Amino acid sequence: MELHVENLGVARGGVPVLDRVSFTLAAGAALVLRGPNGVGKTTLLRTLAGLQPALSGLVRYPEGAAAYASHADGIKAQLSVTENLAFWAAVHGVALPETVFATFDLEDLRDRMAGTLSAGQKRRLGLARLGVIGRKVLFLDEPTVSLDTFSVRMFARWLREDHLGAGGIAVIATHIDLGMEAPELDLTPFRADPMARGGSDEAFL
């Protein structure tokens, strides 16, 4: 298991934002993306996850191994907590692990309708999907938004022990210290010339 990124160029709205991004992560490794707002962290993660095409370069990891988690919780308000997680388990053809409820502090919320949850509870439910689907390569965009200190530590423990500890890989954009020994990549030096490849015109195509 390996994530290999070589000379990657990415764009937002047709305008190049990052260029020549390169790194390699082995099984059990994480990388924290740093940089000011607007530098291109979300665009990079979306490109790595295959949600938008790259301008240039190479991204390589096992097919079907990746999952992307954004600011959106991705839950169905009209379903209960259990039904939401069961839905994602069914979509990915896996059994719903009983341990996921305790891991993400959802034990007492099993039968609650997702639409009635607080912002932090919805976030925990959204992140619990990652503990259900079992994808080995995670691209996480500010995963701890709306979480209190206890929940941040809980998620960090799952990420460190359950995901990375089982040979997973994670690339994370976050301003929060997750308490992990992970290298950081400042994207500022990789800022692209916005006029490269005719970027200003492509934004309107």
Side-chain angles (χ1 to χ4, degrees):
M1 172 69 67
E2 180 181 86
L3 167 62
H4 180 70
V5 179
E6 184 176 343
N7 292 326
L8 188 66
V10 303
R12 179 173 55 239
V15 179
V17 292
L18 295 171
D19 193 26
R20 299 187 182 279
V21 178
S22 298
F23 60 87
T24 299
L25 295 176
L31 179 69
V32 177
L33 303 179
R34 299 295 192 193
N37 290 337
V39 75
K41 296 185 291 293
T42 294
T43 302
L44 176 59
L45 288 172
R46 287 179 54 82
T47 304
L48 292 174
L51 299 178
Q52 63 183 61
L55 288 178
S56 59
L58 170 71
V59 178
R60 186 174 65 241
Y61 51 80
E63 184 176 357
Y68 170 75
S70 68
H71 300 174
D73 295 316
I75 62 178
K76 295 183 177 294
Q78 69 275 24
L79 298 181
S80 70
V81 166
T82 299
E83 288 169 338
N84 266 278
L85 296 179
F87 168 81
W88 286 107
V91 166
H92 289 272
V94 298
L96 176 58
E98 181 65 22
T99 55
V100 75
F101 295 97
T103 299
F104 291 88
D105 194 23
L106 297 170
E107 283 281 13
D108 296 335
L109 303 172
R110 287 171 178 258
D111 299 324
R112 281 274 299 276
M113 301 301 289
T116 69
L117 300 176
S118 70
Q121 291 168 338
K122 288 177 181 177
R123 191 60 177 168
R124 295 206 309 272
L125 175 56
L127 292 173
R129 290 178 300 156
L130 302 176
V132 171
I133 64 178
R135 295 297 178 90
K136 285 292 189 179
V137 183
L138 299 182
F139 301 111
L140 307 176
D141 191 1
E142 297 292 350
T144 57
V145 168
S146 299
L147 294 183
D148 58 22
T149 301
F150 170 80
S151 296
V152 169
R153 291 173 180 168
M154 176 194 64
F155 174 71
R157 183 172 58 250
W158 171 81
L159 186 62
R160 183 177 58 251
E161 298 177 3
D162 294 2
H163 180 67
L164 299 177
I169 291 171
V171 182
I172 314 156
T174 181
H175 296 287
I176 301 296
D177 181 7
L178 295 176
M180 299 188 307
E181 293 185 4
E184 298 183 356
L185 179 64
D186 183 358
L187 296 180
T188 305
F190 299 97
R191 278 179 163 161
D193 177 358
M195 300 302 294
R197 307 174 192 272
S200 60
D201 292 329
E202 291 175 6
F204 299 97
L205 295 180

